[in-house]
Amino acid sequence: MPISTWLSIPLLLAGAFFFLGGTIGMLRFPDVYTRLHALTKADNLGLGLITGALVLEADGWAVRAKLLLIWILVLAATATLCHIVARAALERGIRPWRRP
Amino acid sequence: MAEAYMALAAFLVVNVGAGLWRVARGPTPADRMLAAQLFGSTGVAVLLLLAEAADAPALRDVALVFALLAVVAGIAFVKLGWSQDPLAEDDHAD
Amino acid sequence: MSPAGWTLDVALVTLILGLAWRLLWTRNLFEAVVLFVAFGLTLSLAWVRLGATDLALAEAAVGAGLTGALFMHARQRLAEKLAERAEEEVDG
């Protein structure tokens, strides 16, 4: 196997780990704000690591650029959206969770 | 390597299917919406993996649409769908 | 077919049937709207697996995104109308 494959396998596994962590956080965390935290980890890091692995394996610079652009679009979109949702939740009077 | 991509895509779909339990549980509309957002970004990852595994570059365009759609749905939710005074059932169901 | 592809297809079919069942039977309108969006995304992935990439594009953009946003707005209007009517009944 070429060296790029050896590099991409750990990246894929790490990406899968972050998506798993995002799902577990979505199910186990206590309120909207902590779940936003879990969601952004899965979005940014999970997708970023998987995109990184695919960039290593892709053939041609056009494909690599497209993969990176998709990731950057998702990054910008989810960061903005999480900010909007968190502020809307605060305005609607949802109190952040405190350790009881 | 294509088989490994397929396996990872299958894992991600099962994973997000488990995450959709949050849609049924709530309790606030935002919680339900966030689970759909997670589905959207996982869908992007699945489509990128399938594009590489099946050697179908068109799937990357579908992934782009998924990424855009998550934003549209989220902003529509905050601006149009999340009222100050929602139907009483929404915040207290289940 | 490869074992991984088979697992993916079974997961997609299970997810589509489960989502459809839950979205038809839930009593919470907002949950039904979110489930509809998730259903559209799953269906789009299923079209990809069936080799219909153009249908997958249409389903993701129109079926999940646009219709989901419209349903959300419609549910909001419904809630406002119901609140108005309840107020009128109290006043009258």
Side-chain angles (χ1 to χ4, degrees):
Chain A
M1 280 196 289
I3 185 94
S4 63
T5 307
W6 284 111
L7 280 173
S8 73
I9 286 173
L11 286 177
L12 284 177
L13 290 177
F17 172 77
F18 273 102
F19 271 112
L20 183 64
T23 302
I24 293 174
M26 187 62 76
L27 293 179
R28 298 285 302 156
F29 278 164
D31 74 346
V32 180
Y33 306 101
T34 47
R35 283 182 205 129
L36 272 173
H37 167 74
L39 173 71
T40 42
K41 274 351 131 228
D43 274 0
N44 300 345
L45 271 170
L47 188 61
L49 288 166
I50 286 180
T51 322
L54 291 175
V55 163
L56 286 177
E57 289 287 307
D59 45 348
W61 288 101
V63 174
R64 288 186 186 134
K66 193 167 182 180
L67 286 171
L68 281 178
L69 281 176
I70 289 175
W71 180 50
I72 290 171
L73 175 70
V74 173
L75 260 185
T78 52
T80 316
L81 198 69
C82 281
H83 188 89
I84 293 174
V85 170
R87 202 171 54 186
L90 263 183
E91 279 170 5
R92 281 158 180 75
I94 298 175
R95 301 284 293 273
W97 178 79
R98 298 240 176 265
R99 192 178 296 282
Chain B
M1 205 58 192
E3 185 68 9
Y5 290 141
M6 288 297 284
L8 189 54
F11 166 76
L12 288 180
V13 169
V14 173
N15 189 29
V16 85
L20 284 180
W21 183 241
R22 180 47 71 191
V23 181
R25 287 291 304 282
T28 69
D31 294 311
R32 302 181 203 277
M33 198 59 221
L34 288 186
Q37 297 293 323
L38 182 67
F39 198 122
S41 55
T42 313
V44 173
V46 169
L47 284 168
L48 291 180
L49 286 167
L50 285 180
E52 195 71 21
D55 201 22
L59 295 190
R60 297 198 183 94
D61 298 332
V62 186
L64 260 175
V65 173
F66 265 52
L68 278 177
L69 178 156
V71 193
V72 172
I75 290 178
F77 162 65
V78 173
K79 285 288 164 199
L80 306 176
W82 196 5
S83 60
Q84 304 279 359
D85 182 21
L87 286 175
E89 58 178 7
D90 277 350
D91 281 318
H92 306 291
D94 293 81
Chain C
M1 192 190 286
S2 68
W6 193 81
T7 315
L8 180 58
D9 290 350
V10 169
L12 283 175
V13 169
T14 318
L15 211 53
I16 285 177
L17 290 178
L19 281 172
W21 182 260
R22 175 83 199 178
L23 104 81
L24 284 177
W25 284 99
T26 179
R27 297 183 60 83
N28 184 328
L29 275 184
F30 189 82
E31 184 191 336
V33 174
V34 174
L35 285 177
F36 182 82
V37 172
F39 179 83
L41 293 178
T42 323
L43 195 58
S44 175
L45 287 178
W47 284 129
V48 164
R49 285 295 293 160
L50 291 170
T53 313
D54 42 356
L55 267 180
L57 263 172
E59 176 64 38
V62 180
L66 206 59
T67 321
L70 283 179
F71 276 164
M72 220 171 261
H73 195 38
R75 192 209 68 93
Q76 178 67 25
R77 287 294 295 274
L78 187 65
E80 281 164 10
K81 290 277 175 204
L82 286 179
E84 268 174 32
R85 186 166 300 172
E87 236 168 64
E88 276 168 18
E89 275 172 17
V90 168
D91 293 341

